């Protein structure tokens, strides 16, 4: 009888320590991709990386959130007037809805470009303005996001 009681207590402890939702929950991945160059090849590589990452984890039944953070010369990726990849961004972001790929634009860079050019800089509709691209990358990494620079 003593053995049976000990076994019951051991099983109860195992169940209690397992915690909620530990079985069969898909793994969640978080990936920040930096673009800081006005180079169509780098921009396309970042988009290829994002697409490949999404497809890989989807095929494994796992989820992923990806944020492409642009700053410096890389902001051209999200400028309505100079982006060589704006149509591709729209296609990828639309295909990844409701979660998936987000694109962020550095407001510090945008304001600097506006000052130098003497006019407002318009961003593509998919872009989300963040105060600082560099700080955004730091914050994402501090919150457990993996970092990738193509």
């Amino acid at each position: 009888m003593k053995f049976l009681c000990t076994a019951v207590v051991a099983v109860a402890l195992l169940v209690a320590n397992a915690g909620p939702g530990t079985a069969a929950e898909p793994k969640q991945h978080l990936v920040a991709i930096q673009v800081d160059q006005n180079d169509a090849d780098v921009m396309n590589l970042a988009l290829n990386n994002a697409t490949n990452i999404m497809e890989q984890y989807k095929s494994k039944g796992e989820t992923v959130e990806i944020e492409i953070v642009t700053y410096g010369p890389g902001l051209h990726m999200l400028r309505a007037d100079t982006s060589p990849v704006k149509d591709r961004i729209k296609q990828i972001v639309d295909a990844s809805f409701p979660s998936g790929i987000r694109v962020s634009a550095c407001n510090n860079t945008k304001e600097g470009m506006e000052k130098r050019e003497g006019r407002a800089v318009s961003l593509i509709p998919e872009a989300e303005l963040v105060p600082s691209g560099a700080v955004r990358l730091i914050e994402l990494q501090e919150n457990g996001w993996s970092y990738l620079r193509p």
Side-chain angles (χ1 to χ4, degrees), residues 3-148:
F3 174 75
L4 182 60
C5 289
T6 303
V8 169
V9 169
V11 169
L13 287 172
L14 284 173
V15 170
N17 288 328
T22 56
E25 274 191 21
K27 186 169 182 180
Q28 170 69 31
H29 302 276
L30 306 167
V31 182
I33 300 175
Q34 171 184 325
V35 176
D36 63 354
Q37 299 175 54
N38 185 12
D39 181 331
D41 290 339
V42 171
M43 295 172 190
N44 275 303
L45 182 56
L47 293 170
N48 290 346
N49 290 159
T51 301
N52 292 339
I53 290 166
M54 291 272 310
E55 290 174 1
Q56 176 68 28
Y57 286 127
K58 184 178 180 181
S59 74
K60 294 170 66 174
E62 298 174 0
T63 59
V64 63
E65 288 183 50
I66 298 170
E67 184 166 340
I68 298 173
V69 180
T70 66
Y71 65 91
L75 186 69
H76 286 280
M77 181 177 187
L78 304 181
R79 283 185 59 160
D81 60 342
T82 61
S83 175
V85 293
K86 63 184 169 188
D87 293 334
R88 187 161 180 227
I89 291 170
K90 179 175 178 23
Q91 177 186 22
I92 290 170
V93 170
D94 288 350
S96 72
F97 184 82
S99 64
I101 300 175
R102 185 168 61 219
V103 290
S104 296
C106 175
N107 192 48
N108 287 337
T109 300
K110 181 179 177 287
E111 288 177 351
M113 287 180 173
E114 289 173 338
K115 187 174 181 179
R116 280 189 303 281
E117 296 175 22
R119 63 183 179 93
V121 169
S122 296
L123 301 176
I124 62 173
E126 296 79 16
E128 293 181 32
L129 203 56
V130 297
S132 166
V135 170
R136 180 68 181 155
L137 285 169
I138 291 166
E139 292 171 346
L140 290 171
Q141 290 177 78
E142 289 174 344
N143 288 310
W145 289 59
S146 298
Y147 168 81
L148 180 64

